[in-house]
């Protein structure tokens, strides 16, 4: 759990923003994640950050399953720990990203076939609604329910719900901005209209 948490603490958005002499914690959503990196630094960097965040959680799950094959929840517990590490990094006063990319990475390592289906659905929902948070919410709500049913494990679903609840809380202002009509839309992000100068 500690190893997975520390893996989750790695934050490429922070490293790149420092290289570019830009503090993304003062712009956009203020979070150190792929979405804010995309909004402020461009989609290329956003993709790179997303791959890093996905990879670290997926690796944490795979290592846990490899070293603790006798523990059915080892992968899920490690995945959740990695997600929480991304959201609450100890060296940044526990203020990191919002956790979606890492959550997806965890899902990918737990059930890659379902993760691919979710990825397609997220893309469709995001494009249709123009809000990245819409796809995020679909994922974090669906994953615990589906995997819990598929694995016949209420405990698995509850474990994953820990990360789900935290991510919902971290996105609370996105929901407020959508309600007020001030949330940054996907199309605006892709056109670079909200990129930090």
């Amino acid at each position: 759990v500690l190893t997975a948490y520390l893996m989750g603490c790695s934050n490429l958005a922070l490293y790149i923003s420092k290289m570019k002499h830009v503090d993304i914690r003062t712009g956009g959503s203020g979070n150190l994640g792929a979405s804010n990196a995309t909004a402020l630094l461009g989609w290329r960097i956003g993709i790179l950050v997303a791959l890093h965040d996905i990879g670290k959680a997926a690796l944490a799950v795979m290592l846990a399953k490899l070293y603790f094959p006798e523990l059915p929840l080892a992968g899920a517990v490690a995945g959740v720990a990695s997600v929480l590490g991304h959201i609450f990094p100890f060296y940044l006063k526990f203020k990191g990203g919002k956790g979606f990319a890492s959550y997806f990475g965890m899902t990918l390592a737990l059930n890659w076939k379902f993760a691919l289906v979710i990825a397609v659905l997220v893309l469709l929902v995001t494009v249709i609604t123009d809000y990245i948070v819409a796809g995020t919410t679909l994922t974090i709500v669906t994953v615990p329910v589906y995997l819990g049913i598929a694995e016949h494990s209420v405990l698995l679903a509850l474990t994953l719900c820990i990360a789900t609840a935290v991510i919902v809380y971290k996105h609370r202002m996105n929901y407020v901005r959508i309600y007020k009509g001030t949330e940054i839309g996907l199309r605006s992000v892709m056109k670079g209209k909200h990129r930090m100068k």
Side-chain angles (χ1 to χ4, degrees):
V1 170
L2 178 59
T3 300
Y5 167 78
L6 292 176
M7 291 172 66
C9 287
S10 175
N11 196 296
L12 189 61
L14 175 66
Y15 310 150
I16 293 178
S17 66
K18 284 184 175 295
M19 289 173 58
K20 289 184 169 292
H21 305 292
V22 172
D23 189 353
I24 66 174
R25 289 171 292 186
T26 62
S29 65
N31 284 276
L32 288 166
S35 294
N36 203 34
T38 300
L40 300 178
L41 299 173
W43 65 269
R44 292 181 180 83
I45 290 177
I47 290 176
L48 190 61
V49 170
L51 290 175
H52 170 268
D53 293 346
I54 290 170
K56 65 186 181 185
L59 181 59
V61 173
M62 291 187 288
L63 288 175
K65 292 170 70 174
L66 176 64
Y67 284 103
F68 304 99
E70 72 281 5
L71 300 177
L73 291 179
V77 170
V80 170
S82 183
V83 172
L84 295 181
H86 176 77
I87 299 173
F88 304 115
F90 70 94
Y91 63 98
L92 293 173
K93 298 181 179 179
F94 303 100
K95 296 179 181 179
K98 293 184 177 180
F100 173 67
S102 292
Y103 192 99
F104 180 75
M106 172 186 69
T107 305
L108 191 63
L110 290 174
N111 189 319
W112 67 269
K113 291 182 179 179
F114 177 64
L116 294 181
V117 172
I118 278 293
V120 174
L121 291 177
V122 165
L123 181 61
L124 290 175
V125 170
T126 301
V127 170
I128 292 172
T129 64
D130 195 34
Y131 293 124
I132 296 173
V133 71
T136 297
T137 304
L138 171 68
T139 301
I140 63 177
V141 170
T142 304
V143 168
V145 175
Y146 176 82
L147 293 184
I149 294 174
E151 299 294 332
H152 307 288
S153 175
V154 174
L155 192 55
L156 171 61
L158 292 176
T159 299
L160 298 175
C161 278
I162 295 173
T164 294
V166 174
I167 293 175
V168 166
Y169 176 76
K170 291 291 290 186
H171 282 84
R172 65 193 185 283
M173 292 311 300
N174 293 87
Y175 303 132
V176 171
R177 286 194 292 268
I178 288 176
Y179 177 76
K180 292 182 177 179
T182 59
E183 176 73 346
I184 299 175
L186 175 66
R187 285 179 274 279
S188 293
V189 169
M190 297 306 289
K191 291 178 181 178
K193 291 183 177 180
H194 295 270
R195 190 177 305 175
M196 180 177 287
K197 302 300 182 182

